[in-house]
């Protein structure tokens, strides 16, 4: 248990790395003006201190993961599950 806790503590600082906009743009493989426009449209998680923008690596990673598109098999599986779970409501006329 002790080894597990130590390894988790060692991983935490890396995940909570605070990055300026240039480093965040490089991490996202985007141009700096593109990151500024995403911040302006409130599309990306950001922390602002004065005139400077900062980004947490973990928040950017979660933001990227939230945009995941389902595969055709996952969509098909969800449709089959929806049809078989009894979500059939009858309308009373």
């Amino acid at each position: 248990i002790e080894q597990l806790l130590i390894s988790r503590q060692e991983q935490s600082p890396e995940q909570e790395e605070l990055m300026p906009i240039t480093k965040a743009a490089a991490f996202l493989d985007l141009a700096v003006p593109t990151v500024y426009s995403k911040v302006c449209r409130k599309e990306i998680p950001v922390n602002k201190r004065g005139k400077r923008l900062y980004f947490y690596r973990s928040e950017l990673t979660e933001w990227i993961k939230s945009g995941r598109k389902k595969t055709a098999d996952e969509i098909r599986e969800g449709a089959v599950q929806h049809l078989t779970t009894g979500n059939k409501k009858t309308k009373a006329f």
Side-chain angles (χ1 to χ4, degrees):
I1 295 174
E2 184 179 338
Q3 291 296 329
L4 180 63
L5 290 173
I6 291 170
S7 67
R8 289 189 97 164
Q9 287 176 348
E10 290 172 358
Q11 291 174 355
S12 294
E14 181 182 326
Q15 288 296 326
E16 288 302 315
E17 179 185 354
L18 196 59
M19 300 183 285
I21 193 161
T22 53
K23 209 169 182 185
F27 174 73
L28 295 171
D29 196 25
L30 296 172
V32 173
T34 304
V35 176
Y36 275 118
S37 68
K38 289 188 178 300
V39 167
C40 184
R41 292 189 304 249
K42 298 181 189 318
E43 294 177 1
I44 191 168
V46 64
N47 296 285
K48 187 173 181 182
R49 192 68 175 167
K51 293 183 179 183
R52 299 212 180 246
L53 301 177
Y54 297 98
F55 303 84
Y56 283 106
R57 180 181 295 271
S58 60
E59 289 180 349
L60 293 178
T61 303
E62 287 303 314
W63 176 73
I64 292 168
K65 287 179 181 179
S66 71
R68 183 180 180 279
K69 302 291 183 188
K70 291 184 178 182
T71 64
D73 288 339
E74 290 172 336
I75 293 170
R76 196 174 304 111
E77 183 180 311
V80 168
Q81 187 177 15
H82 177 73
L83 292 173
T84 59
T85 57
N87 289 334
K88 303 167 190 159
K89 294 182 179 178
T90 56
K91 293 184 179 179
F93 291 102

